[in-house]
Amino acid sequence: MARDEVGPGLLAAIGAGGVLGSLGRWAVGLALPHTPSQVPWGTFLVNVTGSAAMGVLVVWVLSMDRPHPWLRPFLGVGVLGGWTTFSSYAVEGRDLFASSSPWLGLGYVLGSLVVGLFAVGVGVTAGERLFGRRR
């Protein structure tokens, strides 16, 4: 997207998507609370599902002849950007390292990374089955 195509409408679309994704992540955090010494399953869940959804989204958008120019920014940057969270992942990983379970912290940090990368691959594969091979 060219710099001159960025305007208030696009920024509003990204912001609206971010609100939706962030509210969803907040709800998951309420449903799956944790203490600093426990695995933050809510953050793990949103990051892994967000990774899978990003894989599907990329294939879906690339399968379209002329996707709306705001579709990927709204869903990818806004909704999935608000849904997933690197900052919480980093802080919660640090909390686990600092607690009495540094091995649990290491498992969480590495496990989230590996499972997230795997989830992107699963999402791309699912997207290709649904929408055809990427161009």
Side-chain angles (χ1 to χ4, degrees):
M1 179 170 297
R3 184 174 175 87
D4 57 346
E5 294 178 31
V6 176
L10 174 64
L11 297 177
I14 292 169
V19 166
L20 294 174
S22 297
L23 287 173
R25 177 168 32 101
W26 175 71
V28 170
L30 289 177
L32 299 171
H34 69 283
T35 65
S37 63
Q38 295 175 319
V39 174
W41 290 112
T43 301
F44 182 83
L45 176 69
V46 298
N47 285 339
V48 170
T49 58
S51 295
M54 184 60 80
V56 173
L57 175 65
V58 167
V59 174
W60 180 48
V61 171
L62 291 176
S63 74
M64 297 178 185
D65 288 330
R66 292 176 37 142
H68 191 283
W70 295 356
L71 180 65
R72 195 175 64 174
F74 170 74
L75 292 174
V77 178
V79 174
L80 293 178
W83 176 251
T84 60
T85 172
F86 182 79
S87 57
S88 292
Y89 160 75
V91 168
E92 291 163 350
R94 184 222 139 314
D95 287 347
L96 285 171
F97 280 113
S99 74
S100 60
S101 304
W103 288 108
L104 187 60
L106 182 63
Y108 171 70
V109 168
L110 294 178
S112 292
L113 176 64
V114 170
V115 175
L117 289 171
F118 179 76
V120 169
V122 168
V124 167
T125 300
E128 288 176 340
R129 289 185 182 216
L130 289 168
F131 308 111
R133 282 251 186 241
R134 294 175 288 165
R135 290 185 259 160

